Amino acid sequence: MRTIAIPLPDARRSVIHIAPGLIDRLGEFIRGSGTSGSIALVYDCKLEALARQATASIEATGTSPSVIPLPSGEANKTVATLAALWEALAEAELDRECTVVALGGGVTGDVAGFAAATYLRGVRLIQAPTTLLAQVDASVGGKTAIDLIAGKNLVGAFHQPEGVLIDIDSLSTLPPDQLRSGMAEVVKYGVIADPELLGWLERHLDQVLGRDPSALEHVIARSCEIKADVVGSDERESGRRAILNYGHTIGHAIETVAGYGHYTHGAAVSIGMTAAGELSRELLGFPKSSHERMVELLLRIGLPIRLEAPLPVEPLLSAMRKDKKARAGRVRFVLARTLGEMEVRPIEEPMIQEALRAIGAASP
Ligand code: GLY
């Protein structure tokens, strides 16, 4: 088992465990984290069998959890889903000593995490992510959120999970487009922090896509190490943490304008990273060879680097103006000077429009 700790201010810690078979040890980990309170198992309703396995593991420690299904998919990451979950937690009479366990992908983790951040003004949280995307990004670092019609993740809270249990076995049945989606974030870590990870992916991509357990463990552990380092240095995103949003300014806008769920998150981020790479070349002299390495990897993974059908430029820009990095109405982008050397800077709209047209967006 690989264990990575995120050191946080005020002597807090969030610990990530990575290994096969961890769902069967969920109960042991919850009790091992020093709580005897009640447990709410909040799970993606498509994961009935896994939820039964998790329930059995908790029951083996002598507690019956309250088991609460959540609807699947980004289109359900809404205030309505959150409100229903708050009511279900209250209905189950869970008190302040309780632990919320989020079992599922990024949507489940974000909604259950936000409920844990706010129910009774905050209760304990354990993340048990089941998709590669959630394992390498969403479940780690304490961001929780819901979407608005106006944009992705626009309402949320920082709430660190005490533990993140990453069971690699859950990837064996993950749909291929979801595996590809998670891989976009892995490529992102290579670009923002670790050129060696890009080299490793270039050599071992076939094993990763073939779901070789040790290759998967390597990419998950390296991604979590990078994220832990960034979050440990800037938990609340007052500076450095913004680099984790490379490719996400345009990516989130694509998801919002195309309709939540139309593009996987990773597909949208892949297109966004391609556009941000071009902007980095123009503005910061990001080397052509580095950009080409990134694009080549994205294509080998099977991710898009252009829109599959044109989206209009103006709604994309409007979604970007609502991005959390925007200041005084100016859209700010995470750009690369070299692999691993990032900068956040505002970009004028004509240049963004040009970048959007280059990825296939349509002018009016
Ligand atoms: N997914 C970006 C972050 O956690 O900061």
Side-chain angles (χ1 to χ4, degrees), residues 137 140 143 188 227 237 241 244-245:
D137 186 23
V140 175
K143 280 189 181 174
K188 175 196 80 178
K227 184 149 188 187
E237 200 169 308
R241 184 167 179 166
L244 296 172
N245 287 312

Side-chain angles (χ1 to χ4, degrees), residues 150-151 154 248-250 252-253 256-257 313-333 347-350 352-353 356:
L154 289 188
H248 286 59
T249 310
I250 288 181
H252 281 168
T256 303
V257 176
V313 165
E314 187 42 48
L316 288 168
L317 274 174
S318 162
M320 276 183 251
R321 287 184 208 110
K322 297 181 187 91
D323 183 272
K324 291 186 288 306
K325 290 184 298 307
R327 296 287 181 275
R330 294 182 82 195
V331 183
R332 290 159 79 240
F333 272 74
I347 299 188
E348 299 306 327
E349 291 205 352
I352 304 175
Q353 287 175 5
L356 289 173

Side-chain angles (χ1 to χ4, degrees), residues 46-71:
K46 288 199 173 143
L47 301 177
E48 280 294 343
L50 207 57
R52 278 197 296 276
Q53 206 180 326
T55 303
S57 153
I58 296 168
E59 282 173 348
T61 65
T63 311
S64 280
S66 302
V67 181
I68 305 170
L70 283 191

Side-chain angles (χ1 to χ4, degrees), residues 206-274:
D206 293 345
Q207 281 130 283
V208 177
L209 297 179
R211 306 182 194 217
D212 173 83
S214 64
L216 286 171
E217 183 168 324
H218 179 79
V219 294
I220 295 166
R222 189 64 200 122
S223 300
C224 288
E225 277 168 4
I226 294 168
K227 184 149 188 187
D229 177 54
V230 175
V231 171
S233 67
D234 179 24
E235 184 188 15
R236 299 272 167 149
E237 200 169 308
S238 43
R240 183 176 177 224
R241 184 167 179 166
I243 68 172
L244 296 172
N245 287 312
Y246 181 66
H248 286 59
T249 310
I250 288 181
H252 281 168
I254 292 171
E255 288 182 86
T256 303
V257 176
Y260 294 130
H262 184 88
Y263 285 89
T264 63
H265 177 65
V269 166
S270 173
I271 300 168
M273 288 197 290
T274 305

Side-chain angles (χ1 to χ4, degrees), residues 157-172:
F158 288 100
H159 191 62
Q160 290 293 346
E162 299 200 7
V164 181
L165 291 191
I166 300 180
D167 185 344
I168 290 170
D169 289 343
S170 62
L171 299 180
S172 61

Side-chain angles (χ1 to χ4, degrees), residues 100-121:
V100 170
V101 179
L103 177 71
V107 172
T108 308
D110 270 6
V111 176
F114 193 24
T118 45
Y119 178 68
L120 305 181
R121 298 204 181 89

